[in-house]
Amino acid sequence: MTEQEFGPLLRPYTLTRGRTRPIGPDFDLMTIIRTAPSAYGRTDGLNPEHLRILHLCRSPASVADLASDLGLSLNVVRILLSDLREQGLVTARPQATVAQLPEERILREVIQGLQAL
């Protein structure tokens, strides 16, 4: 059988080298990924998908957005991201939640202080 006969099954398998789980902590759909400053100049030996992720993550991007932009499944993207994280080429941080945001009262005080300047 040829690659075309296997369809979409062969490519993800080869991209992940047969792995089905990411290395280390899992990436949530809304985890924000960014290319680490140390990544520039350290791209030798990376496959085109890894390079594309690094390019897309010059600006912060969520895991869900990356999967959509790359046209790959979430699991494949998570595995590729774990490769990059293991090499120190990307940083990952959870998306801010409502509990992490400052109270409205504090924001109003900051706005008032800025207006007073």
Side-chain angles (χ1 to χ4, degrees), residues 27 31-37 57 61 84-85 88-93:
F27 294 94
T31 298
I32 303 299
I33 308 297
R34 184 163 197 155
T35 301
C57 293
L84 295 170
R85 178 177 56 195
L89 301 177
V90 295
T91 60
R93 66 171 174 77

Side-chain angles (χ1 to χ4, degrees), residues 101-116:
L101 298 175
E103 294 178 28
E104 183 179 345
R105 174 188 57 80
I106 293 172
L107 292 174
R108 287 188 189 282
E109 289 175 16
V110 169
I111 290 170
Q112 290 171 354
L114 290 172
Q115 289 173 338

Side-chain angles (χ1 to χ4, degrees), residues 11-62:
R11 187 166 182 258
Y13 181 84
T14 57
L15 286 176
T16 64
R17 297 185 307 260
R19 294 171 294 150
T20 59
R21 295 176 188 239
I23 300 166
D26 200 10
F27 294 94
D28 183 76
L29 283 174
M30 299 311 295
T31 298
I32 303 299
I33 308 297
R34 184 163 197 155
T35 301
S38 61
Y40 302 103
R42 293 182 40 209
T43 58
D44 292 340
L46 295 178
N47 68 36
E49 287 74 20
H50 285 118
L51 294 172
R52 193 146 173 242
I53 289 171
L54 291 176
H55 177 74
L56 291 170
C57 293
R58 288 181 186 168
S59 298
S62 72

Side-chain angles (χ1 to χ4, degrees), residues 59-81:
S59 298
S62 72
V63 173
D65 288 337
L66 289 172
S68 174
D69 291 346
L70 293 166
L72 297 171
S73 74
L74 282 168
N75 197 50
V76 169
V77 170
R78 287 174 172 147
I79 293 168
L80 296 175
L81 286 170

